[in-house]
Amino acid sequence: MKTFSAKPAEITKKWIVIDATGLVVGRLATLVAMRLRGKHLPTYTPHVDFGDHVIIVNADKVVFTGRKRDDKVYYNHTGFIGGIKEKTAKSILEGRFPERVVEKAVERMIPRGPLGRQQMRNLRIYNGAEHPHEAQNPEVLDIAGMSRKNKVGA
């Protein structure tokens, strides 16, 4: 028996919408990264973009467990000497672009390289409850119902 290897022409991508209200960031990110890579399918092939298109709404309403909201620090470097900057998760969530917390969590679970960048382009994150992808008829994925640990206060 030969090993199955999917070709790009054989792929049918689905559209998934996830409501992130009250979901734990890390648990949400692991499930989204798995969907983006296509690892939830039995025909998963590592070198092909096999995953679904994922839409996350209400990304500004995600939560951290424990004291991570105050203690978790995100670093970035300007490229100049001594140019390291740091922000806490709380300052990002209360700032102008709170969806970046979810985006960074998912991005760090996707492999680096051309395939990872292509898979990240299939992720759309929105702060409000509306999104402009109704024409694609996305399926609703209930992450909070998968496990009681996925949602805080459930």
Side-chain angles (χ1 to χ4, degrees):
M1 189 166 131
K2 292 189 175 186
T3 303
F4 176 77
S5 182
K7 315 294 183 290
E10 300 170 352
I11 298 170
T12 55
K13 290 177 170 263
K14 294 193 305 188
W15 285 77
I16 306 292
V17 65
I18 298 170
D19 185 9
T21 305
L23 294 180
V24 178
V25 174
R27 288 177 169 271
L28 169 66
T30 54
L31 292 167
V32 169
M34 190 175 71
R35 284 278 174 167
L36 287 173
R37 295 201 62 203
K39 292 185 100 171
H40 63 290
L41 298 170
T43 55
Y44 167 70
T45 307
H47 64 278
V48 180
D49 181 16
F50 212 75
D52 297 332
H53 293 272
V54 179
I55 304 161
I56 300 175
V57 294
N58 294 319
D60 53 341
K61 296 184 176 96
V62 294
V63 293
F64 285 96
T65 56
R67 295 201 304 229
K68 290 188 207 98
R69 184 175 170 93
D70 298 319
D71 295 346
K72 186 166 179 61
V73 179
Y74 292 91
Y75 296 98
N76 70 313
H77 200 282
T78 62
F80 291 97
I81 296 170
I84 195 158
K85 306 285 183 180
E86 61 182 43
K87 285 186 177 181
T88 62
K90 181 179 179 181
S91 67
I92 295 174
L93 285 172
E94 293 172 355
R96 191 169 162 202
F97 302 107
E99 70 273 7
R100 287 186 182 165
V101 169
V102 177
E103 183 181 352
K104 277 293 172 197
V106 173
E107 182 182 327
R108 290 170 179 172
M109 294 181 186
I110 299 284
R112 285 90 178 131
L115 182 61
R117 287 189 292 272
Q118 184 179 355
Q119 290 167 344
M120 281 300 292
R121 282 194 285 272
N122 295 332
L123 175 65
R124 281 99 173 159
I125 304 175
Y126 300 101
N127 286 332
E130 292 84 30
H131 60 86
H133 305 287
E134 289 298 328
Q136 283 76 24
N137 297 322
E139 298 176 15
V140 176
L141 184 65
D142 182 25
I143 289 183
M146 290 180 178
S147 171
R148 64 178 182 84
K149 294 181 180 179
N150 291 347
K151 188 172 176 88
V152 171

